[in-house]
Amino acid sequence: MTATPVWSVDPRTGKQREQVAVEATPREVDGAVRAAHASRGALADATARAAFLRAAADHLDEAAAHVVEAADAETALGPGRLTGELARTTGQLRAFADAVDEGSYLDVRIDRADPSLSPPRPELRRYKVPLGVVAVYAASNFPLAFSVPGGDTASALAAGCPVVVKVHPDHPATSELCASLLRRAAVSAGLPADVVSVLHGFDAGLELIRHPLVAAAGFTGSIRGGRALFDAAAARPVPIPFHGELGSLNPVVVTPAAAAERAEEIGAGLAGAVTLGVGQFCVKPGLVLVPEGPDGDRLADALTKALGETEPGVLLDHRMRENFVAGVRERAALPGVGAPVTPGSGGEHTVGAGYLTVPARSLVGDGAHELLLEECFGPVTVVARYASRAEAAAVLGRLPGNLSATLQLSSAETEGAPGPAAELIAQVTGLAGRIVVNGWPTGVAVAPAQHHGGPYPAATSHSTSVGGTAIERWLRPVAYQSVPDALLPPELREANPLGLPRRVTGG
């Protein structure tokens, strides 16, 4: 059988740059998973694990110029954006190293025996253990932060789970470079290199999710691709957790009072959020509810001006470009849909930013434009003009799950007594994982309180893929009842030899 080559492609020209690898065979997938599985014992050493995560961050920082150059050549995201993304990535690795050192992610709980209770309570000690080998499916739009060295990999390794990454075909050279840096870091920390490995190829991705030694999976990408893998994970003889981030419209609601107070500011801010990264952020605002009337018109005029001044940009690959152009064309052809700034083809290799506008009533009731309630990946948004609060609420009621929901409120609405604004927050809380007020959802801070997920189809679980609690995806709780102290794991022994934080009930 002839090996299928994996090429690095320049999205600015569509031309092949270099052959990076070949697609993995089933035998190679099996070998990678088995080698990862064999490394679990070494990765159980928390001190080595934390040292590895810090070494990985250091190796990436030391190779920053090379990493950014490689990523830019394959994604056209630009050195400025990629330098910031690399800093986010290395910061994330160090944050998880700190979490390993601190230890509260193990959630140690001790209930001392109490025979006076009815029924009597036995001695119970509980903590969390790693699941095993994690399959990570890299994203196209973040070649670092959501790819080989990204959040799924960092959090899984921090939990003590070896990782096998299915590389995204849009940046194979960057992925190979980052994998080599992580593997070197593992060896420098006294761990086997195989705690991290990478595979290429669509079929390899399917083999990976089906492998009996894979214990969980993380995915960032399209609804179609993520749902196929989710179904495959559930259809296994032994189903496994599949934590997928699939797609999101990220609605924005502009209240009449907010439009009256700062229409121009909101319009300009919206343009920036829609065009950031050429509209290729998973939290790009894709539907904006704007009031009818003069204030809403001022907002639309500001949006028109800002988008009209935006230069065409390059998408991550030509397939995405074709899908974007076709998607915009199909949406613009719907009855009653206008295009004040026509998005679409900006040249042979580029796309132009823009927006579509439609009466909000066209999104509800019989004959509703369902297509406008689906994500269109690229620099475009839909502005729906609403005539009443009830009309805006009806549109929100039709939306599926989202990663984010944003409210643009006036100063009086944020400072006054609870009223319609509080009702809006209550409504969008039911359909999104992160609520933003008077900001924009683009930019997901790596912080302990962050949640990057949401009801389906935004995500396939209720976990987050960003922030400290992302580690919880790769752990399961185990309780030990009436187990002699000498036989307990060190994490649960009475003397607390590891100095872990713990919650104790009873005297």
Side-chain angles (χ1 to χ4, degrees):
M1 179 184 296
T2 303
T4 303
V6 174
W7 291 90
S8 173
V9 176
D10 183 349
R12 295 178 173 96
T13 64
K15 295 181 179 179
Q16 293 177 340
R17 299 176 58 248
E18 59 176 330
Q19 182 179 336
V20 173
V22 294
E23 294 187 359
T25 65
R27 183 175 181 178
E28 289 166 335
V29 174
D30 180 64
V33 174
R34 292 187 181 279
H37 185 74
S39 74
R40 291 176 305 144
L43 203 57
D45 183 337
T47 301
R49 218 158 63 232
F52 164 40
L53 292 168
R54 292 190 177 97
D58 291 343
H59 280 57
L60 287 163
D61 281 341
E62 290 162 6
H66 192 188
V67 171
V68 168
E69 180 183 17
D72 181 50
E74 292 186 305
T75 66
L77 290 172
R81 147 71 195 275
L82 290 166
T83 298
E85 186 181 332
L86 179 58
R88 171 198 178 96
T89 303
T90 56
Q92 194 165 235
L93 287 161
R94 294 185 177 102
F96 279 115
D98 292 342
V100 172
D101 286 341
E102 191 268 339
S104 63
Y105 72 97
L106 293 171
D107 194 21
V108 177
R109 297 168 182 252
I110 298 173
D111 291 330
R112 301 202 187 281
D114 189 343
S116 68
L117 296 177
S118 182
R121 184 176 67 206
E123 181 88 359
L124 289 166
R125 295 176 180 242
R126 178 186 186 272
Y127 81 137
K128 293 181 179 179
V129 298
L131 294 176
V133 178
V134 170
V136 170
Y137 293 81
S140 63
N141 55 342
F142 282 84
L144 305 173
F146 283 82
S147 191
V148 172
D152 284 350
T153 298
S155 58
L157 291 170
C161 297
V163 171
V164 180
V165 183
K166 190 281 180 184
V167 169
H168 197 281
D170 277 356
H171 46 263
T174 306
S175 298
E176 285 287 343
L177 171 59
C178 291
S180 70
L181 294 169
L182 265 60
R183 288 169 67 86
R184 280 171 44 200
V187 172
S188 75
L191 297 173
D194 289 326
V195 295
V196 179
S197 57
V198 296
L199 300 169
H200 300 264
F202 177 83
D203 291 339
L206 294 177
E207 291 285 339
L208 182 60
I209 198 70
R210 294 168 180 156
H211 197 288
L213 294 181
V214 168
F219 171 90
T220 303
S222 68
I223 293 177
R224 180 180 178 184
R227 183 55 193 255
L229 290 170
F230 177 64
D231 291 345
R236 292 166 38 123
V238 178
I240 60 173
F242 182 87
H243 301 286
E245 179 198 319
L246 309 188
S248 184
L249 199 60
N250 307 301
V252 178
V253 180
V254 182
T255 67
E261 185 175 86
R262 49 192 177 88
E264 290 78 11
E265 176 188 332
I266 295 172
L270 174 59
V274 169
T275 58
L276 188 65
V278 201
Q280 297 171 113
F281 277 46
C282 51
V283 286
K284 178 205 74 177
L287 175 68
V288 188
L289 288 159
V290 174
E292 293 180 352
D295 295 324
D297 293 344
R298 289 193 295 118
L299 189 157
D301 289 344
L303 177 63
T304 299
K305 181 177 184 296
L307 291 178
E309 295 171 350
T310 302
E311 294 294 324
V314 177
L315 295 185
L316 293 162
D317 63 39
H318 279 59
R319 176 186 56 83
M320 289 184 188
R321 179 185 175 279
E322 292 167 3
N323 288 342
F324 173 73
V325 172
V328 166
R329 184 185 303 119
E330 186 178 5
R331 288 164 172 78
L334 293 170
V337 175
V341 182
T342 304
S345 176
E348 185 180 359
H349 306 293
T350 59
V351 296
Y355 75 100
L356 306 175
T357 186
V358 66
R361 58 183 174 274
S362 297
L363 303 179
V364 295
D366 295 336
H369 293 337
E370 299 285 350
L371 186 60
L372 297 180
L373 302 181
E374 297 177 10
E375 180 183 17
C376 186
F377 196 69
V380 64
T381 192
V382 174
V383 173
R385 303 295 297 271
Y386 67 90
S388 65
R389 283 175 49 203
E391 197 169 77
V395 174
L396 292 174
R398 292 188 57 83
L399 299 186
N402 286 269
L403 295 170
S404 72
T406 298
L407 304 182
Q408 295 293 339
L409 307 176
S410 69
S411 55
E413 289 171 317
T414 60
E415 297 168 3
E423 294 172 11
L424 264 178
I425 288 180
Q427 183 174 17
V428 297
T429 296
L431 60 88
R434 179 165 58 106
I435 313 304
V436 180
V437 171
N438 290 351
W440 300 103
T442 42
V444 183
V446 180
Q450 184 59 270
H451 186 82
H452 190 59
Y456 186 86
T460 59
S461 72
H462 297 305
S463 302
T464 179
S465 62
V466 178
T469 55
I471 196 172
E472 296 173 358
R473 297 173 294 169
W474 321 119
L475 299 161
R476 67 177 180 88
V478 178
Y480 295 79
Q481 179 176 326
S482 304
V483 175
D485 193 71
L487 300 181
L488 287 168
E491 292 85 352
L492 296 179
R493 290 177 189 163
E494 185 65 21
N496 195 11
L498 303 180
L500 295 171
R502 47 174 58 179
R503 194 170 88 177
V504 181
T505 301

